[in-house]
Amino acid sequence: QVQLQESGPGLVKPSGTLSLTCVVSGDSISETNWWAWVRQPPGKGLEWIGEVFHSGGSTSNPSLKSRVTTSLDKSKNQFSLKLTSVTAADTAVYYCARGSFITIFGGTNAFDLWGQGTMVTVSS
Amino acid sequence: EIVLTQSPATLPLSPGERATLSCRASQSVSSSLAWYQQKPGQAPRLLIYEASNRATGIPARFSGSGSGTDFTLTVSSLEPEDFAVYYCQQRNNWPWTFGQGTKVEIK
């Protein structure tokens, strides 16, 4: 059974860096998938933050103005998010998620598995 | 950036009724549209991918249709556990975007 579990500080100071890790069990992050971060401010909808591919390449939402870095740690089978220069607007539940490319073997082209989410508050 | 507009914002229905949710894209996303269900305090769950394919373990009462700019999620007969918020999401044009959600609530 594949599981994703986020971890990281629940409180970050304004102008600081938000750092989260997602540990993957039951699947290898080196396979043909992508590994993403999605956030949800309290009482609001979902926002795609960015993702890293099994190859190590990455992409992120341009609305976050290059504040995002995503990376893989294949030795630990986990991936990470760093969001710099945070403000109160970055307060949200942060989810990690897995996506799969569509191939002859299957795949969804969607976020098909999610972590439980972790609340991060930006406050002094 | 593609804007996904979901309607209605809230859909009051009774168990056993049919739910029809709409997602309209500001430009074509081909069939690269997914639907997610989210219950309070839980992570989203994938229901439908590529517009009309049910994800693993999703009951047959959930179905998706559409292509291009207009998409529909249908729940043929609402079960008590189906009352939740539903989001559409496109993965055809970067950056990937979500709709604002439709809340299906008990009438």
Side-chain angles (χ1 to χ4, degrees):
Chain A
Q1 182 182 356
V2 182
Q3 292 186 317
L4 282 65
Q5 179 67 60
E6 305 91 347
S7 63
L11 181 65
V12 182
K13 292 189 187 315
S15 78
T17 297
L18 181 159
S19 296
L20 296 175
T21 296
C22 183
V23 176
V24 180
S25 58
D27 192 5
S28 169
I29 62 171
S30 300
E31 298 301 314
T32 55
N33 291 325
W34 70 82
W35 306 92
W37 294 93
V38 176
R39 69 181 181 180
Q40 185 171 38
K44 296 189 177 180
L46 301 166
E47 179 184 29
W48 172 72
I49 300 170
E51 60 199 36
V52 56
F53 302 100
H54 65 95
S55 61
S58 64
T59 181
S60 61
N61 197 322
S63 69
L64 295 170
K65 295 182 172 59
S66 302
R67 297 192 292 132
V68 174
T69 301
T70 54
S71 60
L72 293 179
D73 185 338
K74 294 182 179 180
S75 67
K76 295 182 180 178
N77 211 45
Q78 63 187 38
F79 60 105
S80 299
L81 167 70
K82 289 190 189 300
L83 180 65
T84 61
S85 304
V86 297
T87 69
D90 295 310
T91 294
V93 175
Y94 285 75
Y95 296 100
C96 61
R98 181 190 73 178
S100 57
F101 294 105
I102 293 177
T103 70
I104 59 171
F105 303 108
T108 65
N109 195 33
F111 304 115
D112 54 29
L113 189 67
W114 296 64
Q116 65 184 25
T118 187
M119 180 69 201
V120 179
T121 301
V122 178
S123 175
S124 55
Chain B
E1 174 176 310
I2 290 182
V3 176
L4 298 178
T5 302
Q6 293 187 239
S7 61
T10 305
L11 186 57
L13 292 168
S14 300
E17 289 193 296
R18 183 183 189 89
T20 303
L21 288 65
S22 173
C23 177
R24 179 162 291 180
S26 58
Q27 62 189 80
S28 176
V29 298
S30 187
S31 294
S32 299
L33 189 106
W35 290 93
Y36 302 85
Q37 177 193 67
Q38 187 179 34
K39 298 178 182 179
Q42 295 185 18
R45 176 175 70 144
L46 178 65
L47 297 176
I48 301 289
Y49 64 94
E50 290 294 290
S52 61
N53 297 278
R54 271 189 304 277
T56 302
I58 301 304
R61 63 181 181 272
F62 291 93
S63 63
S65 63
S67 67
T69 60
D70 289 298
F71 300 86
T72 301
L73 174 70
T74 301
V75 188
S76 60
S77 178
L78 284 165
E79 296 289 337
E81 62 268 26
D82 299 336
F83 292 90
V85 179
Y86 294 82
Y87 294 95
C88 58
Q89 178 250 328
Q90 65 85 21
R91 199 179 169 89
N92 189 70
N93 291 68
W94 181 90
W96 324 132
T97 51
F98 290 88
Q100 83 280 13
T102 289
K103 182 178 182 180
V104 179
E105 63 178 29
I106 298 177
K107 190 174 182 180

